Amino acid sequence: MTKKELYLYNTASRLKEQFILLQGASEVKMYACGPTVYHYAHIGNLRTYLFEDLLRRSLEFFGFKVRHVINITDVGHLTSDQDDGEDKMEIGAERTGKTVWEIAEDYTNKFKDDLKRLNILPPTIWCKATDHISEQIKLIETLEAKGYTYRTSDGVYFDSLKFPKYADFARLDIAGLRSGARIDLGEKKFTTDFALWKFSPTDRKRAMEWDSPWGVGFPGWHIECSAMSMAHLGETLDIHCGGTDHVRVHHTNEIAQSECATGKPFARFWLHGEFLRENSSDKMSKSSGDFLTLDLLAEKGFDPIAYRLFSLTSHYRNYLNFSWEAMESAQESLNALRKKTQHFIGLEGKPVSVDAREWSIKFQQYIADDLNSSGALGVLHLMLADSSIQDREKITLLREFDSVFGLRLLDEPNVVEHSAEEIEKVESLVKKRNAAREAKNFVESDRLRDALLEAGVVIKDSKDGTVWKWK
Ligand code: AMP
Ligand code: ZN
């Protein structure tokens, strides 16, 4: 069956546009801004990667081959968008008592593990900012040679007013910014100028710093994504994506520096996922350390795939409000879906009849309309309830739908045998943790809970005692 046309909402035009490849291209060049690895990813961050996975799976479903790049931001960037504040990696290192290099590795591994548990497909290429310092320096040199930069006492800056289209992408009001209250710009010429290279302080050595033609220091945050995406995908990307918070500063700056350096459009489609909110507020902040993780959800007995299902219930461009009640209903809904589909596992599907194909067409219509996952989930439920089609046709349709949803509805349950020795070890850790809790030694009990999680065990405390199970 030929597929419908795929329409995606392009932030650049604020329109839904048909997605097609450029003439002669054989694959979609897609770049997603990755995590800053100074802390765990929170479930808000993970919502964005789930949206990008839905996008990737939908592109593949519509027959495109995708070359997908995710970067790891392991250079310590500053806590404020104004190019000042503290270094995030150094804060993370201080908090954990480890080196910046160690925490980068630990949180990168943890992030990859979260993606795996959510059944997010690994990108074609993972890349790290610290592995691409020379590409970033080269790009800054090109910008400097073309006259787009200026130096101050603390770094090399991009002169944003030299790029006439600077305000277009985020619909910024430059005149308003010009006449608005003058915030302290330091040596910056204009408020939207941003650092390409920052110098290390003269009175101390930074944990991460590199030589450059301008002096020892470190690259600004935005330059890494331009340099890495162009290194792995070429000068014009098909799709660039991230969370909505990136529109105003990070992606605006990526466009400015990339287009000034190459003279070519930087990305044809820009897709942005809206935020997950807790208690209807925006505040799920990684830097505050006060946030929800996938481990916490697992600890409370939720299956990571239930969080995936929860995120599919709303459109990626709408806010999604997190609550424990909503998580419970997502888990119930997943359990109900599994109950309806478990007897299909391991069975062969068969070609679908003309009537059954109607479900496939409806499913495609929703996905083709800017990835309407909640509409498509509705089709899944109706299809499973349709008594006029045979089970083996349902299996074929389910396989097709789940290639996009990624809910693993047809996977064999992962039955892992655990040895008596492993079980004994877990029980002894649980006992020790309970003893620490009773003694109100919460530091020790948290440490033991983390050790249990690390060993693949989740625990649940209730008034009747503590129960544990394998993740
Ligand atoms: P960071 O590690 O802070 O660079 O963020 C990683 C990704 O998560 C970026 O694409 C952000 O736009 C996105 N993000 C941050 N907070 C949220 C949130 N509350 N909901 C959804 N996405 C978010
Ligand atoms: Zn980026």
Side-chain angles (χ1 to χ4, degrees):
M1 190 172 72
T2 50
K3 292 267 160 62
K4 289 183 59 59
E5 293 162 349
L6 172 63
Y7 280 78
L8 299 172
Y9 182 85
N10 190 347
T11 306
S13 62
R14 309 292 198 268
L15 294 171
K16 281 185 202 169
E17 294 176 38
Q18 188 186 349
F19 181 78
I20 43 170
L21 276 181
L22 287 179
Q23 216 170 7
S26 59
E27 56 185 9
V28 180
K29 294 183 277 180
M30 170 169 153
Y31 183 87
C33 290
T36 315
V37 283
Y38 67 103
H39 217 315
Y40 296 109
H42 57 57
I43 59 170
N45 301 133
L46 295 173
R47 181 190 185 203
T48 290
Y49 300 102
L50 281 165
F51 136 64
E52 290 159 353
D53 189 53
L54 171 69
L55 171 61
R56 148 99 179 262
R57 286 169 176 271
S58 300
L59 287 161
E60 289 177 346
F61 175 72
F62 278 88
F64 296 101
K65 189 165 177 274
V66 184
R67 186 173 167 84
H68 179 192
V69 177
I70 304 184
N71 72 294
I72 297 290
T73 299
D74 56 349
V75 170
H77 296 301
L78 306 179
T79 44
S80 111
D81 274 345
Q82 300 305 323
D83 297 311
D84 51 24
E86 282 180 87
D87 178 299
K88 287 181 187 168
M89 294 297 289
E90 287 184 3
I91 297 176
E94 225 164 84
R95 193 188 61 243
T96 54
K98 296 184 180 175
T99 68
V100 285
W101 300 98
E102 284 166 345
I103 63 159
E105 192 180 337
D106 288 356
Y107 289 124
T108 301
N109 290 338
K110 193 71 197 64
F111 174 67
K112 289 183 181 173
D113 186 49
D114 283 353
L115 298 198
K116 202 161 153 199
R117 286 194 285 158
L118 288 166
N119 198 23
I120 291 176
L121 298 172
T124 326
I125 295 169
W126 284 110
C127 55
K128 284 200 299 195
T130 50
D131 286 342
H132 293 77
I133 300 296
S134 63
E135 286 90 341
Q136 298 177 64
I137 290 177
K138 245 191 220 138
L139 198 53
I140 303 169
E141 283 181 313
T142 305
L143 290 167
E144 188 173 47
K146 292 189 172 191
Y148 288 108
T149 66
Y150 61 89
R151 279 193 209 203
T152 69
S153 59
D154 73 355
V156 179
Y157 283 77
F158 183 84
D159 196 342
S160 56
L161 294 183
K162 286 206 172 144
F163 179 52
K165 291 197 292 185
Y166 186 85
D168 295 0
F169 185 65
R171 313 289 197 261
L172 298 177
D173 171 14
I174 293 286
L177 286 172
R178 209 189 285 275
S179 63
R182 234 189 113 72
I183 52 165
D184 183 16
L185 290 180
E187 294 168 60
K188 268 188 355 180
K189 293 205 264 181
F190 194 63
T191 176
T192 52
D193 294 353
F194 56 92
L196 296 164
W197 189 265
K198 290 275 281 188
F199 303 136
S200 290
T202 45
D203 55 343
R204 73 177 180 94
K205 199 172 154 45
R206 283 173 45 85
M208 278 183 176
E209 57 184 18
W210 295 266
D211 275 334
S212 84
W214 311 280
V216 176
F218 59 104
W221 169 34
H222 317 295
I223 198 74
E224 73 172 55
C225 283
S226 292
M228 283 189 276
S229 59
M230 291 200 247
H232 294 286
L233 298 169
E235 290 178 341
T236 299
L237 319 175
D238 295 301
I239 302 181
H240 194 314
C241 37
T244 43
D245 56 327
H246 286 344
V247 175
R248 210 182 145 80
V249 179
H250 184 49
H251 288 167
T252 288
N253 291 348
E254 278 189 47
I255 293 170
Q257 66 202 3
S258 306
E259 300 199 353
C260 289
T262 66
K264 296 182 187 152
F266 178 45
R268 298 167 52 228
F269 279 74
W270 286 88
L271 270 75
H272 291 97
E274 191 43 273
F275 265 35
L276 176 82
R277 299 194 288 198
E278 208 191 335
N279 304 325
S280 303
S281 79
D282 257 348
K283 284 189 262 120
M284 188 164 301
S285 143
K286 198 146 131 177
S287 52
S288 74
D290 176 21
F291 52 75
L292 300 169
T293 59
L294 201 61
D295 278 352
L296 184 68
L297 262 53
E299 224 174 282
K300 292 194 182 274
F302 293 107
D303 186 326
I305 298 297
Y307 182 64
R308 182 175 182 107
L309 177 60
F310 174 57
S311 82
L312 289 168
T313 56
S314 84
H315 192 268
Y316 78 86
R317 282 195 289 119
N318 291 337
Y319 279 115
L320 178 60
N321 288 321
F322 180 85
S323 68
W324 291 109
E325 294 74 37
M327 237 357 260
E328 262 155 38
S329 80
Q331 183 69 61
E332 277 164 24
S333 178
L334 179 65
N335 296 346
L337 266 175
R338 282 180 173 155
K339 213 164 162 192
K340 279 187 214 157
T341 54
Q342 65 192 9
H343 57 287
F344 295 156
I345 293 173
L347 300 182
E348 281 293 310
K350 69 175 234 183
V352 291
S353 62
V354 174
D355 282 353
R357 197 170 298 153
E358 282 302 309
W359 292 118
S360 184
I361 293 168
K362 286 199 175 99
F363 174 81
Q364 277 188 43
Q365 275 168 346
Y366 280 113
I367 298 297
D369 181 15
D370 192 31
L371 318 180
N372 183 343
S373 53
S374 60
L377 276 176
V379 176
L380 169 68
H381 286 289
L382 291 172
M383 182 278 284
L384 289 173
D386 183 353
S387 55
S388 74
I389 58 171
Q390 296 174 11
D391 274 2
R392 287 184 50 214
E393 294 178 300
K394 287 186 184 175
I395 294 173
T396 303
L397 291 169
L398 186 57
R399 186 155 288 127
E400 182 180 321
F401 295 4
D402 210 27
S403 71
V404 175
F405 294 137
L407 296 171
R408 291 196 168 126
L409 292 173
L410 286 173
D411 282 11
E412 296 282 351
N414 220 353
V415 188
V416 184
E417 291 288 333
H418 292 282
S419 64
E421 206 180 320
E422 273 180 291
I423 295 172
E424 222 171 89
K425 196 174 148 205
V426 169
E427 285 184 339
S428 133
L429 280 174
V430 170
K431 256 195 208 150
K432 279 191 193 150
R433 176 184 167 266
N434 286 350
R437 260 163 58 96
E438 263 165 43
K440 299 214 175 331
N441 184 350
F442 296 116
V443 173
E444 179 64 359
S445 73
D446 282 352
R447 191 190 68 76
L448 289 163
R449 189 200 50 205
D450 288 346
L452 282 159
L453 264 176
E454 195 79 2
V457 171
V458 281
I459 45 181
K460 201 166 184 174
D461 299 311
S462 74
K463 58 178 177 359
D464 303 321
T466 301
V467 283
W468 66 268
K469 61 175 188 177
W470 300 104
K471 267 200 271 191

